[in-house]
Amino acid sequence: MLYLNEDDLLALGADWGKLADTVTDALASMAAGDYVQPLKPYLRFKDPANRIIAMPAYIGGTFDAAGIKWIASFPANPSIGIPRAHSVVVLNDAATGKPVALVNSPLLSIMRTAAVSAVMLRRWLELPNQHHNRPLNVGLIGCGPIGQWHARMLTVILGSRLGKLKTYDLSPARARQAADAAGSAGSAAASWEEAYFESDIIVTCTVSGSRYIFSPPPRGSLLLHVSLRDYRPSALASINTVVVDDWDEICRENTDIEQMHLTVGWEKDRTITLSEAVFGDKLLSMPKDGRLLFSPMGMAIFDIAVATYTLGLARDKGIGLELK
């Protein structure tokens, strides 16, 4: 069994094009029904703010792999000097069940999350019915580890199409660090409003315990809503199109999608799945200045797919520790 830690993942780096292609291939397996993914359970004990989530899955196609991600989120951890999230991924041989890899780092999950956003972003950029023939401004709200890696992904996927990247975080230092990913195009904002109101692409990567965004997003904007609990229902009333990875996963746990469902009756049949968005033509009917909300709960098949890709890359480069 190959053991990989965070230093190993950093040595492998992040090729955002290949990571997005890996997620797209996983979506193809999902669209073909060649996967198994139980609804993930949440383990809570003592402090209800804390949770550990089990995410098992099998994915077929070129992956043909099974495994599980076991990820803990303890929001108070940074106050004692350790990361909020801890994660391990175990990969199993699909033919025998034998464990073949153990990845001990939340970085794999972080890169997977940014790669899923990259898939949605690439699809949105190619839509012929939207205004994408000019530099696009990005507002990134929340600059913890997920926000930092999103900043790197955005600069690569957008490339020369990036206008300005404005970042905001309760920690000005983290905001400046994320802005640095965009070079001269990046700047730290003094408030979330400054990063929000003039952006074409709005990325929320916070751990906010309360909904703080009270105003509708700009016309024609893409909301990469990674943190799931930032918008008050009134702010989303003008949303034209909602894309989700899985309705049954996202419409629970007090997400903004669940609040849209409870307050204004937004139903499953009004949403578009990510596989439909990527492989189908449903997004072509969006209004020209329509607002698109992408709200992914996080799917285990994407973790298994990215872990399988990472395992192959590590073996090719001789990175990691073989355990017996």
Side-chain angles (χ1 to χ4, degrees), residues 60-78:
T62 58
F63 301 100
D64 192 31
I68 187 169
K69 180 172 78 172
W70 179 240
I71 182 165
S73 175
F74 282 52
N77 278 358

Side-chain angles (χ1 to χ4, degrees), residues 96-115:
T96 66
K98 178 183 176 182
V100 294
L102 172 65
V103 184
N104 181 18
S105 170
L107 184 54
L108 186 76
S109 182
I110 291 168
M111 290 193 293
R112 178 273 281 169
T113 302

Side-chain angles (χ1 to χ4, degrees), residues 137-211:
N137 295 327
V138 179
L140 173 61
I141 304 171
C143 300
I146 293 177
Q148 298 289 337
W149 284 87
H150 267 77
R152 301 173 194 182
M153 176 276 290
L154 289 159
T155 59
V156 171
I157 298 298
L158 287 170
S160 61
R161 303 173 78 171
L162 175 63
K164 298 177 181 178
L165 173 64
K166 289 192 175 183
T167 62
Y168 174 72
D169 192 273
L170 295 177
S171 163
R174 286 198 299 262
R176 288 192 296 270
Q177 183 182 357
D180 287 346
S184 60
S187 63
S191 65
W192 69 262
E193 291 94 336
E194 184 183 342
Y196 181 78
F197 284 113
E198 296 182 4
S199 293
D200 303 289
I201 301 163
I202 298 165
V203 190
T204 46
C205 298
T206 74
V207 291
S208 176
S210 60
R211 292 172 167 87

Side-chain angles (χ1 to χ4, degrees), residues 8 14 30-31 36-37 40-41 53 124-125 171 192-193 205 242 246-247 256 259 264 267-268 285 303 311:
D8 298 324
M30 182 182 177
V36 178
Q37 180 178 267
K40 54 193 178 188
I53 307 171
W124 183 76
L125 288 171
S171 163
W192 69 262
E193 291 94 336
C205 298
V242 173
D246 184 282
W247 173 265
D256 289 345
Q259 290 305 307
V264 299
E267 298 291 345
K268 180 178 181 178
S285 61
D303 292 289
L311 174 61

